[in-house]
Amino acid sequence: MSFTLMDSTTATAELGWTVYPWEEVSGYDENMNTIRTYQVCNVFDTNQNNWVRTKYIRRRGAQRIHVEMKFSVRDCSSIPNVPGSCKETFNLYYYESDADTATRTSPAWMENPWIKVDTIAADESFSQVDLGGRVMKINTEVRSFGPVSRSGFYLAFQDYGGCMSLIAVRVFYRKCPRIITNGALFQETLSGAESTSLVAARGVCIPNAEEVDVPIKLYCNGDGEWMVPIGRCMCKAGNEAVDNGTVCRACPSGFFKPTQGDEPCMQCPINSRTTSEGAINCVCRSGYYRTDSDPLQMPCTTVPSAPQNVISSVNETSLMLEWTPPRDSGGREDVVFNIICKSCGGGRGGCTRCGDNVQFVPRQLGLTESRVYISDLLAHTQYTFEVQAVNGVSDQSPYSPQYASVNITTNQAAPSTVSIMHQVSRTVDTITLSWSQPDQPNGVILDYELQYYEKTQL
């Protein structure tokens, strides 16, 4: 973009430039609007040195100045009896100063102290025929100069033997506009002193954004255009980019964003909610949970219901248990089963956990299949088996796992041997004996079998 320092076409009265000896007149632009112009036409006199100087122009921090000139030039060949000194070009100069100190004679009307910018030639010139047909042949040329460092400057136009009209002069500098790009704000930046200059500008992350690459930079070229972006900012966690990336807005209630980046906020998964705007995660509702390994986008889940349809099949002191999965898995796919074994009765007052001698195949805890084989149970004993259903969030629930239970009694088996026998009394032909019940009766003992032998038979 450009910023105008001076535009002769905006003048509503005389421009009041210093002439030596150009003439200020009212003229017309290409749209036939009335404007103030300067003209000179001393083509029949040789050794011409005609100057016109603008008023003092403040540079306003610019380092390189651009000058757009609109002018018309008479074709020398169309002027009768014109001498060979007729020209169709003019020179552009500038002079720097820290204050408006110029007079009619200072700075002197010569190349030094003035600095020459360029010789300006017309692409088109007009003739007497064009004048008769009121045909306007206006040329537009743009030149630039720099670096400039003083507070301001003057421009001067030197005619050295032409017939021309200086229709409009616009003086401006270029700057890159304030812009938000790549998540960063870049303020207005003046173009460099040279046409090929690249002026580095450091960006500042917009609110609720942070740098993710190298320091954020853009370069302002000589045409006032941003180029060569380096680095970027991204919206922080809990914020999303809106308005074409110019704003990082906090996630609204019911939405969240767990990481920085360009992704939009996501709606809270099922059974979860946010407690405020700008959330980076959603908290589970009462009775629902999330494991450390569950992704934040996953719905919160709960514990499973009890297994169903437990079936037992007893074979002496072994057992096969089978069941069907719970009706409600809690919303998870990691349901496993635990078997709790309790031995009941036997005069011990209630049920107690089974000892380590009971064997479970494939295992007692963490079963993935709906069956288990149990062996090494005691014969003729009542057992209660609980089949628990658990999943990945069961350990977060304050309640015990839900279960289905089954009661069984193992078959009778041969009792163990009598370990101790006592002689109570004896006579010549009788003997009275007593003994304790076997340690493992394995059922109801109906009778005992007593065998004896003569000593001579042993």
Side-chain angles (χ1 to χ4, degrees):
M1 63 180 293
S2 61
F3 184 87
T4 299
L5 297 173
M6 187 274 289
D7 188 349
S8 66
T9 63
T10 61
T12 57
E14 292 186 354
L15 293 172
W17 294 0
T18 304
V19 295
Y20 180 79
W22 292 54
E23 180 183 6
E24 182 177 356
V25 297
S26 293
Y28 300 94
D29 61 13
E30 62 268 32
N31 298 317
M32 302 307 294
N33 297 314
T34 302
I35 56 174
R36 302 297 294 178
T37 69
Y38 284 90
Q39 65 183 25
V40 64
C41 193
N42 297 331
V43 294
F44 292 101
D45 298 325
T46 60
N47 299 321
Q48 291 296 302
N49 185 29
N50 306 311
W51 293 68
V52 57
R53 184 186 70 211
T54 66
K55 291 184 176 180
Y56 186 68
I57 303 171
R58 295 192 178 276
R59 70 181 179 94
R60 301 183 184 278
Q63 299 182 68
R64 189 166 190 84
I65 304 300
H66 301 264
V67 182
E68 180 186 71
M69 299 158 285
K70 293 185 177 182
F71 60 95
S72 61
V73 176
R74 178 76 181 267
D75 185 350
C76 286
S77 63
S78 71
I79 304 176
N81 303 317
V82 70
S85 60
C86 179
K87 299 291 189 297
E88 296 179 3
T89 59
F90 64 95
N91 292 328
L92 171 65
Y93 293 88
Y94 76 95
Y95 176 83
E96 287 192 80
S97 174
D98 285 323
D100 184 8
T101 57
T103 66
R104 293 192 61 84
T105 58
S106 176
W109 304 107
M110 62 182 62
E111 184 163 336
N112 187 6
W114 290 90
I115 300 174
K116 183 176 180 179
V117 178
D118 199 4
T119 297
I120 312 301
D123 293 328
E124 290 185 301
S125 57
F126 66 89
S127 63
Q128 186 65 36
V129 176
D130 298 321
L131 286 174
R134 300 183 65 83
V135 176
M136 295 289 291
K137 290 186 176 179
I138 297 178
N139 300 273
T140 301
E141 295 289 336
V142 178
R143 297 293 186 272
S144 64
F145 58 90
V148 288
S149 57
R150 300 289 184 90
S151 298
F153 57 91
Y154 302 91
L155 294 180
F157 305 88
Q158 180 197 25
D159 162 64
Y160 47 98
C163 187
M164 61 169 293
S165 176
L166 189 59
I167 298 171
V169 177
R170 184 171 75 95
V171 183
F172 61 95
Y173 64 87
R174 289 196 170 102
K175 60 183 178 180
C176 292
R178 180 182 183 273
I179 189 176
I180 294 177
T181 184
N182 288 344
L185 169 64
F186 297 86
Q187 299 292 351
E188 284 186 354
T189 301
L190 296 175
S191 59
E194 303 296 334
S195 60
T196 57
S197 297
L198 292 178
V199 179
R202 181 71 190 272
V204 178
C205 290
I206 60 177
N208 298 319
E210 55 192 1
E211 289 186 0
V212 293
D213 294 322
V214 296
I216 312 302
K217 288 184 181 179
L218 274 182
Y219 287 88
C220 182
N221 68 13
D223 293 325
E225 298 172 343
W226 291 111
M227 59 186 301
V228 197
I230 298 177
R232 64 177 313 192
C233 298
M234 286 187 177
C235 293
K236 298 177 180 178
N239 295 269
E240 63 181 347
V242 296
D243 296 340
N244 295 321
T246 60
V247 175
C248 285
R249 182 185 65 187
C251 295
S253 178
F255 289 77
F256 76 108
K257 182 182 167 193
T259 59
Q260 68 173 203
D262 297 327
E263 300 80 13
C265 296
M266 297 176 288
Q267 189 169 6
C268 284
I270 297 173
N271 303 321
S272 66
R273 60 184 177 84
T274 58
T275 57
S276 64
E277 293 185 347
I280 62 175
N281 58 34
C282 299
V283 297
C284 294
R285 298 185 184 277
S286 178
Y288 291 87
Y289 314 95
R290 182 182 287 124
T291 69
D292 293 338
S293 60
D294 286 344
L296 295 176
Q297 300 88 339
M298 177 177 169
C300 292
T301 54
T302 188
V303 298
S305 59
Q308 305 177 88
N309 307 319
V310 180
I311 300 174
S312 62
S313 178
V314 179
N315 183 12
E316 297 185 353
T317 58
S318 63
L319 170 69
M320 176 67 75
L321 283 181
E322 296 181 286
W323 58 90
T324 56
R327 179 177 291 106
D328 182 5
S329 67
R332 304 184 64 85
E333 297 180 356
D334 55 1
V335 177
V336 295
F337 306 97
N338 298 330
I339 308 300
I340 305 301
C341 174
K342 295 180 180 179
S343 175
C344 304
R348 288 174 289 182
C351 299
T352 58
R353 286 290 185 101
C354 298
D356 295 337
N357 59 300
V358 178
Q359 302 298 311
F360 299 83
V361 177
R363 55 190 170 274
Q364 182 179 5
L365 305 177
L367 292 165
T368 57
E369 299 294 332
S370 300
R371 61 189 297 166
V372 65
Y373 178 74
I374 306 168
S375 60
D376 292 347
L377 299 172
L378 297 177
H380 197 62
T381 302
Q382 292 182 359
Y383 288 92
T384 295
F385 290 94
E386 297 175 358
V387 183
Q388 295 179 342
V390 297
N391 61 15
V393 297
S394 292
D395 58 348
Q396 299 188 46
S397 172
Y399 305 106
S400 300
Q402 297 192 49
Y403 63 88
S405 63
V406 62
N407 299 318
I408 64 102
T409 301
T410 54
N411 301 137
Q412 295 188 104
S416 60
T417 60
V418 174
S419 57
I420 301 175
M421 183 180 293
H422 300 279
Q423 177 183 303
V424 178
S425 64
R426 72 176 179 176
T427 63
V428 175
D429 53 0
T430 64
I431 187 171
T432 302
L433 302 174
S434 68
W435 57 87
S436 301
Q437 181 174 303
D439 293 334
Q440 298 180 4
N442 294 336
V444 178
I445 298 178
L446 300 177
D447 51 36
Y448 292 92
E449 182 179 320
L450 182 65
Q451 294 181 347
Y452 66 97
Y453 305 90
E454 298 283 344
K455 282 187 176 182
T456 59
Q457 296 177 348
L458 294 176

